[in-house]
Amino acid sequence: MMKLKTVLAMFIALFVTAGSVSAKSLVVYFSHTGENYSVGNISEGNTAIIAKMIASTTGSDTFEIVPSKDYPKTYKECTDVAKDEQKKNARPAYKGDVDTSAYDTIYIGYPIWWGDMPMVVYTFLEKHDLNGKTIIPFCTHEGSGVSGTDSAIKRLYKNAAVKQTLSVRGVTAQNKRNEAQKAVDEWLGKIGK
């Protein structure tokens, strides 16, 4: 009887330990607060809202790309900086980092700025080798859709499986959260996650 209890205890310990292994999926995102197009001044970024929905639905870990130097809070100043970074093909630094090697699936989220990902997102992507992984992009925008960012990610990672990109209007993320969650759920269903 004692042996059975010991074996049972070891089995339970093994099961609990296996369950505590870090998640196999990670949501990486950059989001902007302050004055945003169509939604005014916001304290939680549009992309952050979608990222948290994805993480909550999939049980993924998260990493927020936080620039070392904050982007301006006013819309015009922020877009001017973003346009200048794009023109210079800049790679702005960001705070902290995450070890992506433990993850099989990486969700990567960003707002569309001037028809592209913000340059700080490129900094993150170029720093990490995500080849061999499943990459699932998502973005927020106000009418430009994906803007070919999925193709840019495919060019960076020729040996990764890049899935269909989710695009959600920022105004939907901010003001119609049930609709945004429905879009997230339907998209996750389509891509098999």
Side-chain angles (χ1 to χ4, degrees):
M1 185 67 160
M2 187 59 130
K3 278 187 178 181
L4 182 60
K5 284 183 182 178
T6 304
V7 170
L8 185 57
M10 287 173 37
F11 178 78
I12 290 170
L14 180 63
F15 182 77
V16 169
T17 303
S20 67
V21 172
S22 65
K24 292 286 185 186
S25 59
L26 173 69
V27 177
V28 176
Y29 67 96
F30 166 73
S31 200
H32 182 259
T33 58
E35 187 180 9
N36 271 242
Y37 188 78
S38 289
V39 294
N41 279 303
I42 55 174
S43 58
E44 183 176 28
N46 303 327
T47 307
I49 292 167
I50 302 302
K52 291 172 186 175
M53 288 178 179
I54 293 167
S56 175
T57 303
T58 61
S60 299
D61 291 339
T62 61
F63 176 76
E64 181 177 5
I65 301 170
V66 178
S68 295
K69 182 181 178 187
D70 290 339
Y71 286 98
K73 294 291 183 190
T74 61
Y75 179 75
K76 170 126 178 50
E77 288 176 304
C78 183
T79 59
D80 287 346
V81 169
K83 191 174 195 177
D84 186 57
E85 284 181 352
Q86 202 176 72
K87 184 179 175 182
K88 294 175 179 173
N89 201 28
R91 294 298 184 263
Y94 60 89
K95 300 174 186 175
D97 209 357
V98 62
D99 180 4
T100 58
S101 65
Y103 299 96
D104 299 320
T105 300
I106 310 285
Y107 296 87
I108 181 79
Y110 44 85
I112 299 295
W113 285 1
W114 293 105
D116 202 352
M117 294 179 275
M119 295 296 103
V120 72
V121 177
Y122 280 101
T123 305
F124 177 89
L125 291 173
E126 291 173 2
K127 185 175 182 179
H128 296 274
D129 182 3
L130 304 181
N131 281 301
K133 298 185 183 296
T134 299
I135 303 173
I136 309 175
F138 63 98
C139 67
T140 56
H141 64 94
E142 283 309 328
S144 57
V146 176
S147 290
T149 55
D150 51 349
S151 296
I153 292 170
K154 287 175 185 175
R155 279 192 302 274
L156 280 170
Y157 303 113
K158 296 188 183 337
N159 296 315
V162 180
K163 300 270 190 156
Q164 177 187 346
T165 305
L166 170 69
S167 68
V168 178
R169 285 183 176 263
V171 70
T172 301
Q174 281 294 327
N175 302 325
K176 300 175 184 173
R177 302 230 179 155
N178 288 342
E179 189 177 317
Q181 182 67 60
K182 183 179 177 189
V184 166
D185 293 342
E186 288 176 358
W187 168 70
L188 289 171
K190 283 181 191 172
I191 62 171
K193 292 291 169 185

